[in-house]
Amino acid sequence: MRTRPSPRSHRHRRTRTRPAIRLTAGFLAAAALLVSACSSGNSTPSAGGRVEAALAELPRATPSALAPYYAQRLRWRDCGVPGFQCATMRAPLDYDKPDTGDVRLAVARKKATGKGEPLGSLLVNPGGPGGSAVEYLQQYAGVGYPARIRARYDMVAVDPRGVARSEPVECLDGRQMDAYTQTDTTPDDARERNALVAADRKFAESCGARSARLLRHVSTVEAARDMDILRAVLGDRKLNYVGASYGTFLGATYAGLFPRRVGRMVLDGAMDPSLDARRLNLDQTAGFETAFRAFAKDCVRHSDCPLGGRGTTPAQAGDHLKAFFRKLDAHPIPAGDADGRRLGEALATTGVIASMYDEGAWGQLREALNSAMKDNDGAGLLSLSDSYYERDADGRYSNLMMANAAVNCLDLPPAFSGPEDVQKALPVFEKASPVFGPGLAWATLSCTYWPVRATGEPHRIQARGAAPIVVVGTVRDPATPYRWARSLAAQLSSARLLTYDGDGHTAYGRGSACIDTAIDTYLLRGTPPTPGKRCS
């Protein structure tokens, strides 16, 4: 799910300077993603979507077959970005059979810039799954993290296997992605349901055909094991880490596998690995409804709000937005697109959901909705949607959504067995979010047709023996609901929960001096926040 970073100016998150999480990769319309989870053993989800199995710690001794990977030396070179160096790291494609080939991972760093005792490396990950950590480092963390953090740490990132520069998963080309993202995800009849299923099948089959070698080996557990190799080749005894959104699941997985190698770890916008896919998606659906209601309350205070005026309730504003979506479903509107795309319900929903991640984008969303609803101009919402999907002006897409699907569908069994199963669940999802529920329910269908069976299952992560881990939760986070942070903090044996009573996705670097000071102090001194600390 999870995410993308937005700069400290709090511009829309697609600028990729703030972490992201996505719902299921198949949400063609509002795409966001279900987090993944890999487990150490067999377990069966309970009726509430939780399990009791726990992720098992790996043996402390490095297996001899992996010794060459841990002993490799990185050859650093210029990145083409001032101040940064890049390298390529080798990891086994299959940790169970390390002699069957390698995967090559892109690594970047920016050396510590100031005086004072060096604190080693600080690895960062912005989420996704599928977000480029290297790009995040170069565009934000390596230049935007507090100067005192950058002075003491070498800032480091690795694109996880299958992502961006690290042998990316490939599926559809640009034109095919255009068609995929416009597929109706709120089908009204059998014909539209069949079209949605066909789109999901084509996406899955294309990933299987074009990325057969990688598709079985892009799990979160494997990515976490890659991070331990990187820790070793960087010369660090312990891993210092800041992960956001899905990056919290990646970091928590590392802690579960290697608890005694955990240094200073911040998990911001936390995931709950104990939940199955259906429960995760349902919780996130409710999270987006919470965020929309906060947006609606703000919107109706402005004279240009197209969802109503002062006195309009969030529920009424939601009804107006749903009515607009229904109109677009029947009659897409012009969007000034060079490739001839018009704004239909799917792309419009994506644009709205994209803006829920950061309250700094609410003004832009209000303007885009105003243009679309009153002036029949869909350009603003289309731009928000394209930014979410990482589609450039030439019609090219990054591999974000491909990697996103590959990781999620490998990490968790599918939420539904087929369209009939989704249909039965629609009332529950619509209750969770009258605005987004049906589309988010249908979004979970994509992994049903995935060409590779899931290797992971829901599980708890305890990480017994780990140093203090700071888990950060935002009360009205749309993508990683606050309850997930509370749950992860309860699972991790050494966790300290830090709460941000605010809006938007994640908390660090979003303008709360209280949050930033608490995290900076922890990273610099190793002192976690006081129990129950709450910031606004």
Side-chain angles (χ1 to χ4, degrees):
M1 308 181 190
R2 275 140 1 120
T3 329
R4 209 144 267 57
S6 77
R8 291 180 179 266
S9 65
H10 302 305
R11 188 176 172 310
H12 183 297
R13 73 188 183 95
R14 282 324 229 161
T15 54
R16 280 175 277 149
T17 358
R18 184 161 247 17
I21 177 172
R22 297 178 179 276
L23 238 95
T24 162
F27 191 19
L28 317 168
L33 200 39
L34 272 178
V35 282
S36 34
C38 293
S39 127
S40 58
N42 294 326
S43 58
T44 302
S46 68
R50 294 183 183 274
V51 295
E52 293 305 318
L55 183 66
E57 178 182 357
L58 288 174
R60 299 184 198 179
T62 300
S64 59
L66 298 180
Y69 294 102
Y70 276 81
Q72 69 185 291
R73 301 189 65 171
L74 299 183
R75 297 181 179 179
W76 295 101
R77 61 186 184 278
D78 180 71
C79 282
V81 180
F84 292 88
Q85 296 174 307
C86 289
T88 300
M89 187 185 84
R90 294 183 301 109
L93 177 68
D94 185 343
Y95 275 92
D96 291 333
K97 300 175 181 177
D99 59 346
T100 57
D102 297 345
V103 59
R104 297 184 179 275
L105 307 176
V107 182
R109 75 176 178 186
K110 187 177 185 183
K111 297 285 286 182
T113 57
K115 299 179 181 179
E117 181 184 358
L119 294 174
S121 306
L122 180 62
L123 188 66
V124 296
N125 182 281
S132 171
V134 169
E135 188 173 339
Y136 175 70
L137 176 73
Q138 294 175 345
Q139 292 189 6
Y140 176 61
V143 293
Y145 266 36
R148 56 181 179 161
I149 301 296
R150 292 181 284 117
R152 304 283 298 282
Y153 283 102
D154 290 346
M155 302 293 294
V156 180
V158 56
D159 278 349
R161 49 177 63 206
V163 174
R165 299 166 175 84
S166 292
E167 299 193 23
V169 169
E170 296 180 345
C171 303
L172 304 178
D173 62 28
R175 288 190 177 276
Q176 291 170 327
M177 278 297 293
D178 278 348
Y180 185 63
T181 59
Q182 294 178 77
T183 304
D184 187 353
T185 50
T186 54
D188 301 313
D189 52 36
R191 180 184 62 81
E192 291 183 349
R193 284 195 298 274
N194 291 339
L196 176 59
V197 169
D200 280 332
R201 285 186 183 276
K202 179 177 180 179
F203 183 88
E205 290 168 359
S206 297
C207 295
R210 299 186 65 183
S211 299
R213 176 178 178 269
L214 270 177
L215 226 51
R216 288 178 172 82
H217 298 290
V218 292
S219 70
T220 297
V221 163
E222 289 164 311
R225 297 187 71 173
D226 294 343
M227 293 200 307
D228 195 56
I229 294 177
L230 179 58
R231 173 202 58 78
V233 301
L234 290 172
D236 292 320
R237 190 172 64 87
K238 294 193 173 185
L239 181 80
N240 301 309
Y241 178 83
V242 177
S245 198
Y246 163 80
T248 68
F249 179 68
L250 181 58
T253 299
Y254 179 90
L257 297 174
F258 307 102
R260 288 163 181 80
R261 297 176 190 171
V262 171
R264 298 170 188 180
M265 178 173 284
V266 178
L267 307 178
D268 183 14
M271 314 289 315
D272 182 354
S274 73
L275 301 180
D276 63 23
R278 189 179 303 197
R279 174 61 185 275
L280 283 166
N281 202 15
L282 186 61
D283 280 359
Q284 196 176 52
T285 298
F288 279 110
E289 181 68 18
T290 297
F292 173 76
R293 286 175 174 265
F295 162 73
K297 288 180 181 178
D298 177 78
C299 183
V300 299
R301 298 189 183 106
H302 298 267
S303 59
D304 63 343
C305 179
L307 301 179
R310 291 184 180 274
T312 301
T313 67
Q316 291 169 331
D319 288 340
H320 293 154
L321 184 59
K322 286 192 296 180
F324 173 59
F325 285 160
R326 285 194 295 270
K327 289 182 180 179
L328 292 178
D329 189 26
H331 302 289
I333 63 175
D337 181 56
D339 295 314
R341 292 177 302 157
R342 296 169 70 86
L343 183 77
E345 181 184 14
L347 294 175
T349 306
T350 303
V352 173
I353 279 191
S355 304
M356 295 297 99
Y357 285 77
D358 189 341
E359 68 273 25
W362 289 356
Q364 184 181 358
L365 174 60
R366 190 175 67 251
E367 293 174 7
L369 285 172
N370 199 44
S371 295
M373 297 174 73
K374 295 184 177 181
D375 301 328
N376 212 45
D377 178 2
L381 284 174
L382 181 63
S383 176
L384 288 169
S385 176
D386 283 350
S387 178
Y388 190 91
Y389 283 120
E390 292 193 353
R391 181 193 192 272
D392 67 22
D394 295 322
R396 294 186 297 259
Y397 289 76
S398 77
N399 95 307
L400 173 67
M401 297 310 296
M402 290 81 156
N404 188 287
V407 174
N408 281 288
C409 295
L410 195 61
D411 274 357
L412 279 181
F416 295 107
S417 61
E420 297 79 10
D421 206 10
V422 178
Q423 194 73 42
K424 293 176 184 176
L426 286 179
V428 177
F429 277 77
E430 190 161 14
K431 182 179 180 181
S433 174
V435 178
F436 305 117
L440 290 172
W442 285 107
T444 62
L445 193 60
S446 59
C447 289
T448 302
Y449 309 107
W450 204 245
V452 175
R453 290 188 64 182
T455 57
E457 295 174 338
H459 58 271
R460 292 177 295 111
I461 299 178
Q462 297 169 315
R464 297 191 183 281
I469 297 172
V470 175
V471 176
V472 188
T474 297
V475 171
R476 291 178 294 282
D477 190 318
T480 50
Y482 180 60
R483 69 173 66 182
W484 291 358
R486 291 185 304 187
S487 178
L488 180 61
Q491 293 171 47
L492 292 169
S493 62
S494 63
R496 192 68 60 83
L497 179 62
L498 175 62
T499 298
Y500 174 50
D501 188 354
D503 297 291
H505 184 38
T506 71
Y508 187 42
R510 290 182 54 85
S512 169
C514 174
I515 289 287
D516 293 352
T517 298
I519 292 176
D520 291 349
T521 299
Y522 167 70
L523 290 175
L524 292 170
R525 301 178 187 172
T527 306
T530 56
K533 186 171 181 63
R534 196 175 184 94
C535 299
S536 58

